[in-house]
Amino acid sequence: VIEPPIKLIPGGGGLNSAVVIGGLQHRSGKGTIALHSLVGDDSFADGVRALLKNSHVQFFSPRIPSSIKTGSCICLSGGEEGKTDRGFLTYRGAMAHFARKHLDLEQILKASHVHVAGYYNFPKMWPGLKEILPKLRRHNITVSLNPQWDASGEWKYIQDLSDTHTHTHT
């Protein structure tokens, strides 16, 4: 039995980071933040856009075919008192299609820092990210990476990134 209310809220590592930093920067009057991602044309995307707008985050998300929906995740948590466990049910949706062609590199190169969140959630971006990292370095843009969890358990391709960026830490 589930006690009400069950809440539907936008989230994810990149979105959560952008929202928090956007709010802090807005209050301080210093800097701007942008999120480059991919969402569908649906109510989940409407919620993401509204949250980002209210949090003063610029959102770069090109139009995609209407058949592709925004990704979603259900987080199940619980356990005995003092012991908690979590499990995730994930539909990648648009993020399964997120690739280099969806990025506005001109905008990204205006940044002082780029945070890559959820690396293992967008495998079509992996080759593009390997291409972009040296460009960021040449523009003196710092980079941080949160790979999230590799559901395959193989942890492939992430080593390729350290070959392109001498100070990549995971």
Side-chain angles (χ1 to χ4, degrees):
V1 175
I2 299 173
E3 294 185 32
I6 294 175
K7 294 182 181 180
L8 178 65
I9 57 172
L15 180 73
N16 294 342
S17 296
V19 165
V20 170
I21 295 168
L24 291 171
Q25 287 183 326
H26 177 71
R27 284 192 290 280
S28 72
K30 297 179 182 177
T32 59
I33 187 162
L35 178 67
H36 296 254
S37 189
L38 206 55
V39 294
D41 185 16
D42 51 39
S43 61
F44 285 118
D46 294 343
V48 168
R49 287 187 182 96
L51 177 62
L52 291 170
K53 182 178 180 181
N54 292 335
S55 302
H56 310 281
V57 176
Q58 294 176 326
F59 188 38
F60 294 91
S61 180
R63 292 273 176 213
I64 58 175
S66 61
S67 61
I68 300 173
K69 304 300 179 192
T70 302
S72 57
C73 180
I74 298 172
C75 177
L76 304 170
S77 63
E80 298 173 23
E81 190 167 327
K83 297 178 182 178
T84 58
D85 198 6
R86 297 187 312 172
F88 297 90
L89 302 172
T90 302
Y91 165 66
R92 285 191 178 142
M95 291 308 290
H97 302 272
F98 193 37
R100 164 65 184 89
K101 68 182 181 181
H102 298 114
L103 294 177
D104 185 336
L105 190 56
E106 184 177 315
Q107 286 296 322
I108 291 171
L109 290 175
K110 293 177 182 178
S112 59
H113 180 80
V114 171
H115 178 64
V116 180
Y119 175 79
Y120 281 106
N121 289 326
F122 44 88
K124 290 188 177 182
M125 181 64 75
W126 299 346
L129 194 55
K130 189 174 178 179
E131 167 211 332
I132 290 170
L133 285 176
K135 290 179 185 180
L136 297 176
R137 185 172 172 82
R138 286 193 298 274
H139 283 84
N140 295 316
I141 299 170
T142 58
V143 177
S144 57
L145 170 68
N146 179 356
Q148 301 300 87
W149 187 257
D150 179 7
S152 75
E154 296 177 10
W155 300 98
K156 290 183 178 180
Y157 309 109
I158 203 157
Q159 185 61 40
D160 293 347
L161 297 182
S162 65
D163 296 340
T164 63
H165 209 74
T166 58
H167 298 290
T168 299
H169 299 282
T170 58

